[in-house]
Amino acid sequence: MWEAIFNFYQYTIFIYMLAIVIIYITLVIMSLRVRKAHKTKVSDYYLDALNKSPYAPGISIVAPAFNEERTIVINIKSMLSIDYPVYEVVIVNDGSTDQTLEKMIESFDLVETPYLYIEKIKSKPFKRIFKSTNPLYEKLTIVDKVNGGTKADASNAGVNVAQYPYFICTDVDCILAQDALSRMVMPILQSEKRVIAVGATMRMVNSCKISVETGRVIEDNVPTQIWPMYQEIEYLRSYLVGKSGWSKINAVPNVSGGLGLFDKSVVISIGGYDPLSHAEDMDLTFRMIAHMRDYNQEYVIRQIPETCCWTEGPSTIQVLNRQRTRWARGLLQCLLIHRRFMLNAKYGRLGLVTYPYMFFFEFLAPIIEAVGLLFTIFLLFNGGINQKYAFIMLFYVYMFSLFISITALLSDARTEFRHKNMGSYIRIALATLVEAIIYHPLIVFFSIKGYFDFLTRKNFKWGQMTRQGFDNTSEHEAKTV
Amino acid sequence: MLDFAADTFKIILSEISSYFYDLLFDNTMPLVIIIARLFILTFSIVYIFKLISFVVFSERVRRTRKSLNRIHDRFEDKFTELLARPDNLQINEVQSYLGIKPDEFNPGQLHTITNLLLSVREDIINYNFHNFQLIEDAFGLRPFWESQLSVENPRVQSRAIQKLSAMGISGISEAPLNTLAYSRDKSLRRLARSSYVFLTDNTPFRFFNEDFDHGLTSWDKIFLHDMLVKRPYERLPSFIQWYRNSNDKEMRIFLVNEIKFFNQDYALPYLWEEFNKTEDEDVRKAILDTLGDLRYAEVEEELIQEYPTMSESVQSHVVDALLHFRSGRAMPFFQNAYSMAISIDAKLHIADAIKNYGPEGDTILANLKNSEDELDRKILQHFELNY
């Protein structure tokens, strides 16, 4: 009886693993095609023509800030120095208790400017608007509001103030590339169908050199700290293989909260971000798709391979823990809230591809891995393990992970060889060799912890990131410490 | 040493052959293990292949960067000097100053030289166009990029069109471009049709007669506009001629916008006729913007009369147009429209027009202070403190 159960379990897990392998190989092939097609669609000449054109659509950059005094000024400078003809920067001070607002007022010559705030999307009470008296900062608007406890609530207030038809939602600690807006708006301009959201690649800013004057990244370095480096590898896999591949069949599961360009009218139609969600980005993506399907409108969500944003990665294991448990809670919450999409043909690819994939291969994966580990320990004590076969199976999984990592790395290099020399890439390639032992078990543990927290309804605060900030001691460059 | 290497090689070979043998003929292994081993083998081969590709690619990037640096070091200052000097040189003077021989450069280097030349030109405000053309001739950039149009690779062809356009080379041979203009690749086809406007001299607007290409995207409009801007202003035709023959809504909107951009005010009476004929709101909005921007105030009265029959989104364009006319007669209309407007957005928009219409706008807005409506008072406050 037990043997039959064990055999069934083992074959189920094998088939599960086989499904993951087949899905990822398909994603690799699709992402390569996306990257190849993308190369002909964007060029310096195109970006230049767009930047000079009267037809360039306006874009609002919306960035909520809560207690970001260490990085706020340099990050706003970076946003204000972007190359794009029509844009504005809307920073939402979400009731910060530190010197965030004061630093902004002082650095950008801000004055309070009463404003007729129209609450198209619900958010915690709006307090006031600040605008700069300095023409250099005329693109900047600061929204001061009562703390809503979530990034979603603050983003909603920002969207209410945004004046252009598209908006980029980003974190205030993120540094946008100079041409981020031009590159991200391209799929919208070039598509014959309505593009409702666009995502782009993000990297870690931890070891990059930043110009103090402009807040721009002037040297893109691989993080030297272990956790940000592994997170960068994860990001490359996720953006360049996962999301790029899904975008080939218009099934992108999630436009990242760190950097996403959205059609404002669709976001307002669905009531904006859900302030109660712990994964407001995925929740928003799901609801936007559902809205378009409900109203029988054609839509496209695109993912572009170029790096358009740098963000600060968790530098300690505690911060990594907080970040990952929050992501896991968010995933579970989002899947539970939107369970009606599961295998629901009415929602097209969302119901038949994206949701089932997220459930079976993103949500269940850590649980299956943890159960597998316990099962292996149990069999070890009972002498029920064939060492040779166990080794083969482990090696199979290991080689699969290496294959995906090297594909992402090569894809990154072919898209934009960002690093100065090959040494940086060698360091990443070497790190992937031990990722399965050092980093991955932690991620599995934090994910399960996140699910457990959610199910036991622990009282959690919305993930406030511990910022290290930029050390601006150098005249021309700053480096994270 | 050699023996040791040979022994090691033999051991590796024997391991690999035994691996394959077990994989194919060992019936004792369960199917799942055979599948797993097959994947291990595949992933290992692909991994090694990708590693090698990575090294090869990195080396290529390193060489390209080195070559790029060499070209920059050799020509950057010379290009700057030639483009900045006011006097027109002769081709032999340019050649000897640059110190180049015919056919010295390969396609990759010519590509780099083109990019360098364009970036140097970008930094000089009033560059010497004559000398710029001589540099192009000295390197043979025109024939090089024209020849690239015939390379059977859409990416190369698209790049060639862009480089020719960026360098301002017009009057090229139509044959290769004509082939591309009927390509199956939609984006390449549209690119070629747009570039006809600038790159060819014989029939630059032939695709306007063919409704360009149905379903113009926003990007097509941007590129087509870019090509039109590059043409000499006096050699632009009247866009209204194609408006009437066009069946494509996006093309019509584009043409209306270009009439505005190139100040073709003689087309305005015809546009007004079209405004009254069409029921498409997007086309009507585009026409209103053009009438407003070019100040065709003759239609003011009719617009005011028709205003109540229009949708709110079209109404907001009427308000903009009247604001641009600045005839001095629209203020009573604005006041009436403000009191009739229902949505806050519309009220704000009209109040903005009142504020900007003239000095009397301030007085009218100030009267809102006494309004019993709280929204009116808030709108006043909004304008008092936002200007």
Side-chain angles (χ1 to χ4, degrees):
Chain A
M1 165 74 176
W2 281 111
E3 198 181 332
I5 292 172
F6 285 167
N7 278 340
F8 175 76
Y9 173 78
Q10 288 180 73
Y11 275 98
T12 307
I13 295 301
F14 181 80
I15 290 166
Y16 179 80
M17 179 61 202
L18 194 63
I20 290 181
V21 168
I22 291 167
I23 289 171
Y24 266 87
I25 290 175
T26 314
L27 286 175
V28 164
I29 294 166
M30 292 194 297
S31 67
L32 289 178
R33 296 192 66 162
V34 166
R35 185 168 58 80
K36 202 176 163 193
H38 185 77
K39 272 191 169 179
T40 58
K41 288 181 180 164
V42 180
S43 67
D44 289 345
Y45 182 79
Y46 281 5
L47 296 179
D48 192 45
L50 171 62
N51 286 341
K52 288 176 186 161
S53 178
Y55 293 101
I59 301 174
S60 306
I61 300 174
V62 175
F66 175 67
N67 290 353
E68 302 275 1
E69 63 179 11
R70 297 198 66 170
T71 58
I72 190 82
V73 173
I74 197 164
N75 287 323
I76 292 179
K77 278 185 184 173
S78 134
M79 290 178 194
L80 289 172
S81 67
I82 280 173
D83 295 330
Y84 192 74
V86 198
Y87 79 101
E88 61 170 348
V89 177
V90 180
I91 305 292
V92 185
N93 178 46
D94 195 22
S96 296
T97 51
D98 65 356
Q99 294 292 304
T100 301
L101 185 61
E102 289 72 16
K103 283 205 163 188
M104 288 192 286
I105 291 172
E106 188 190 333
S107 307
F108 299 104
D109 310 326
L110 300 175
V111 290
E112 192 178 333
T113 311
Y115 177 87
L116 184 62
Y117 179 79
I118 304 170
E119 197 177 63
K120 292 168 188 159
I121 311 173
K122 278 274 171 205
S123 73
K124 286 281 177 192
F126 159 87
K127 287 205 283 196
R128 54 198 167 159
I129 287 272
F130 287 92
K131 296 282 270 182
S132 178
T133 52
N134 186 340
L136 275 178
Y137 309 128
E138 65 175 1
K139 288 187 165 75
L140 181 63
T141 302
I142 307 291
V143 182
D144 189 27
K145 68 177 273 287
V146 172
N147 180 259
T150 63
K151 181 189 166 189
D153 186 73
S155 302
N156 286 342
V159 174
N160 284 333
V161 171
Q163 58 169 319
Y164 293 124
Y166 297 98
F167 74 92
I168 277 193
C169 193
T170 184
D171 292 328
V172 84
D173 64 307
C174 288
I175 292 183
L176 297 181
Q178 277 311 105
D179 51 9
L181 303 195
S182 316
R183 287 189 184 277
M184 289 184 77
V185 82
M186 272 293 183
I188 292 175
L189 302 173
Q190 292 176 333
S191 174
E192 286 177 17
K193 291 183 184 169
R194 185 175 184 182
V195 179
I196 57 170
V198 182
T201 301
M202 291 174 73
R203 307 177 97 93
M204 296 294 113
V205 76
N206 296 56
S207 297
C208 294
K209 284 183 181 168
I210 314 293
S211 158
V212 174
E213 287 83 21
T214 60
R216 296 178 184 179
V217 173
I218 49 177
E219 195 177 300
D220 191 351
N221 296 318
V222 174
T224 48
Q225 294 165 303
I226 183 165
W227 309 124
M229 181 170 66
Y230 277 120
Q231 188 148 358
E232 173 139 330
I233 297 167
E234 250 187 334
Y235 271 26
L236 293 181
R237 278 196 302 256
S238 164
Y239 291 116
L240 296 173
V241 176
K243 288 179 182 175
S244 280
W246 288 123
S247 86
K248 177 77 186 160
I249 54 165
N250 196 22
V252 175
N254 176 20
V255 176
S256 168
L259 179 70
L261 176 63
F262 299 95
D263 183 324
K264 193 175 81 176
S265 62
V266 179
V267 172
I268 290 176
S269 304
I270 60 165
Y273 288 96
D274 177 0
L276 299 176
S277 175
H278 299 289
E280 71 287 339
D281 47 2
M282 192 196 300
D283 176 79
L284 183 83
T285 312
F286 276 17
R287 285 188 295 118
M288 284 176 85
I289 297 171
H291 172 82
M292 299 306 281
R293 297 285 312 182
D294 283 340
Y295 287 91
N296 211 15
Q297 291 178 32
E298 282 194 308
Y299 72 93
V300 177
I301 296 181
R302 287 268 178 265
Q303 175 74 28
I304 61 166
E306 292 110 336
T307 303
C308 289
C309 180
W310 288 261
T311 185
E312 194 178 336
S315 51
T316 65
I317 202 161
Q318 289 81 7
V319 184
L320 181 69
N321 174 14
R322 277 212 296 273
Q323 184 197 54
R324 291 315 167 99
T325 48
R326 181 170 68 83
W327 287 6
R329 282 198 306 265
L331 175 64
L332 177 53
Q333 183 195 36
C334 192
L335 291 174
L336 281 174
I337 288 173
H338 299 297
R339 57 190 178 278
R340 71 194 162 108
F341 297 151
M342 179 65 132
L343 299 174
N344 188 341
K346 185 187 164 195
Y347 292 102
R349 291 181 183 92
L350 172 64
L352 300 176
V353 181
T354 311
Y355 189 99
Y357 168 80
M358 294 304 285
F359 181 80
F360 289 112
F361 301 108
E362 292 289 336
F363 165 68
L364 281 186
I367 298 171
I368 287 173
E369 279 189 58
V371 171
L373 184 69
L374 294 175
F375 189 62
T376 310
I377 293 169
F378 170 77
L379 289 180
L380 267 176
F381 280 108
N382 287 285
I385 280 195
N386 179 326
Q387 283 183 357
K388 186 182 171 191
Y389 290 172
F391 176 76
I392 288 173
M393 295 308 283
L394 273 177
F395 196 56
Y396 160 49
V397 176
Y398 178 72
M399 280 313 297
F400 167 65
S401 74
L402 284 190
F403 158 70
I404 298 297
S405 297
I406 192 75
T407 302
L409 213 57
L410 188 58
S411 186
D412 178 43
R414 283 187 182 276
T415 307
E416 35 176 10
F417 204 92
R418 294 205 77 91
H419 304 304
K420 268 192 303 190
N421 49 43
M422 210 186 143
S424 306
Y425 286 104
I426 291 174
R427 202 144 53 83
I428 301 180
L430 288 175
T432 62
L433 295 178
V434 287
E435 186 186 359
I437 305 159
I438 297 173
Y439 185 67
H440 189 69
L442 282 175
I443 298 304
V444 171
F445 175 72
F446 294 147
S447 298
I448 290 173
K449 189 165 164 281
Y451 299 158
F452 184 76
D453 285 353
F454 181 79
L455 294 172
T456 53
R457 302 280 167 191
K458 277 194 180 172
N459 190 19
F460 22 69
K461 280 187 175 174
W462 184 77
Q464 188 196 337
M465 179 87 167
T466 306
R467 305 273 174 236
Q468 294 201 325
F470 305 110
D471 174 9
N472 298 345
T473 49
S474 158
E475 194 183 341
H476 296 296
E477 60 195 40
K479 191 181 169 196
T480 52
V481 286
Chain B
M1 185 67 186
L2 270 177
D3 287 346
F4 175 75
D7 287 346
T8 313
F9 185 65
K10 272 182 200 165
I11 290 167
I12 292 171
L13 266 187
S14 118
E15 282 296 314
I16 291 173
S17 55
S18 110
Y19 185 92
F20 275 107
Y21 182 83
D22 286 356
L23 197 68
L24 299 172
F25 305 110
D26 186 354
N27 295 328
T28 60
M29 268 200 274
L31 178 68
V32 290
I33 298 299
I34 293 176
I35 294 171
R37 293 187 77 175
L38 262 175
F39 271 115
I40 291 172
L41 189 69
T42 313
F43 290 144
S44 304
I45 292 168
V46 174
Y47 186 76
I48 291 166
F49 174 76
K50 291 205 174 222
L51 271 183
I52 294 168
S53 313
F54 200 92
V55 174
V56 171
F57 182 74
S58 302
E59 180 55 21
R60 213 166 65 201
V61 169
R62 193 186 65 79
R63 271 198 226 152
T64 309
R65 284 180 178 173
K66 212 172 152 185
S67 153
L68 195 132
N69 288 339
R70 267 204 305 267
I71 285 172
H72 275 239
D73 291 346
R74 189 173 163 193
F75 294 118
E76 192 168 11
D77 292 342
K78 290 182 177 176
F79 285 170
T80 310
E81 159 71 19
L82 287 172
L83 295 184
R85 59 191 295 172
D87 54 324
N88 292 346
L89 300 175
Q90 299 295 319
I91 183 73
N92 52 345
E93 289 175 307
V94 170
Q95 272 169 340
S96 78
Y97 182 69
L98 292 170
I100 54 174
K101 295 173 212 148
D103 304 328
E104 185 186 337
F105 303 99
N106 63 36
Q109 288 169 325
L110 287 175
H111 191 174
T112 309
I113 288 164
T114 307
N115 289 344
L116 176 64
L117 181 60
L118 291 172
S119 84
V120 169
R121 186 185 72 174
E122 191 78 20
D123 295 337
I124 302 172
I125 298 166
N126 287 318
Y127 71 95
N128 186 322
F129 183 66
H130 174 82
N131 290 352
F132 178 82
Q133 284 184 318
L134 290 185
I135 299 173
E136 278 176 6
D137 291 344
F139 285 100
L141 295 180
R142 182 192 178 109
F144 167 69
W145 286 111
E146 276 195 57
S147 71
Q148 296 282 293
L149 287 175
S150 307
V151 174
E152 291 284 322
N153 179 337
R155 207 175 140 204
V156 176
Q157 290 164 326
S158 156
R159 192 165 57 200
I161 291 176
Q162 292 170 46
K163 295 295 174 198
L164 287 165
S165 309
M167 283 190 291
I169 296 174
S170 58
I172 66 164
S173 155
E174 277 190 35
L177 208 55
N178 191 41
T179 313
L180 300 183
Y182 290 97
S183 162
R184 278 189 188 174
D185 181 333
K186 201 186 267 184
S187 58
L188 184 62
R189 184 174 72 235
R190 288 178 173 180
L191 183 72
R193 289 180 175 209
S194 301
S195 62
Y196 242 83
V197 170
F198 174 64
L199 296 180
T200 66
D201 279 343
N202 192 23
T203 52
F205 296 98
R206 59 181 277 202
F207 293 107
F208 279 72
N209 296 324
E210 296 176 24
D211 224 356
F212 194 73
D213 199 313
H214 284 284
L216 222 58
T217 64
S218 302
W219 173 250
D220 296 327
K221 292 179 190 173
I222 289 170
F223 192 78
L224 196 48
H225 175 77
D226 185 58
M227 293 291 109
L228 287 168
V229 169
K230 283 193 160 71
R231 282 188 70 82
Y233 184 80
E234 61 281 1
R235 289 177 61 197
L236 282 172
S238 163
F239 294 110
I240 193 75
Q241 60 176 306
W242 294 300
Y243 178 94
R244 289 189 162 168
N245 299 328
S246 175
N247 294 317
D248 184 43
K249 172 185 158 180
E250 292 303 322
M251 186 64 185
R252 286 180 154 216
I253 293 173
F254 175 75
L255 291 167
V256 172
N257 287 333
E258 293 304 295
I259 288 172
K260 174 176 73 184
F261 189 86
F262 291 105
N263 281 318
Q264 296 185 342
D265 46 9
Y266 53 83
L268 296 178
Y270 305 102
L271 271 191
W272 175 242
E273 271 178 40
E274 297 299 331
F275 177 83
N276 289 318
K277 276 188 211 162
T278 183
E279 287 184 4
D280 189 299
E281 291 213 338
D282 293 330
V283 177
R284 282 166 75 93
K285 284 183 213 168
I287 293 177
L288 281 171
D289 290 346
T290 300
L291 294 174
D293 273 29
L294 300 184
R295 302 198 174 176
Y296 189 59
E298 286 87 333
V299 298
E300 184 173 76
E301 216 161 288
E302 282 176 80
L303 280 179
I304 290 172
Q305 275 172 8
E306 281 185 34
Y307 182 82
T309 64
M310 296 170 184
S311 69
E312 191 179 299
S313 65
V314 179
Q315 281 178 340
S316 80
H317 289 258
V318 172
V319 170
D320 288 340
L322 296 181
L323 177 62
H324 278 106
F325 293 163
R326 285 193 199 281
S327 66
R329 299 186 298 267
M331 193 55 95
F333 161 75
F334 283 141
Q335 282 177 279
N336 187 39
Y338 178 86
S339 58
M340 300 295 286
I342 292 169
S343 79
I344 300 175
D345 279 336
K347 274 190 181 291
L348 264 178
H349 191 75
I350 300 165
D352 190 45
I354 292 173
K355 172 84 190 169
N356 287 302
Y357 197 66
E360 55 191 313
D362 288 330
T363 324
I364 290 163
L365 279 182
N367 289 338
L368 292 177
K369 259 184 196 164
N370 309 320
S371 169
E372 285 177 12
D373 191 329
E374 197 194 333
L375 177 64
D376 284 346
R377 290 197 299 273
K378 275 188 180 172
I379 287 176
L380 170 71
Q381 196 187 30
H382 173 88
F383 282 101
E384 271 187 339
L385 295 153
N386 273 296
Y387 280 90

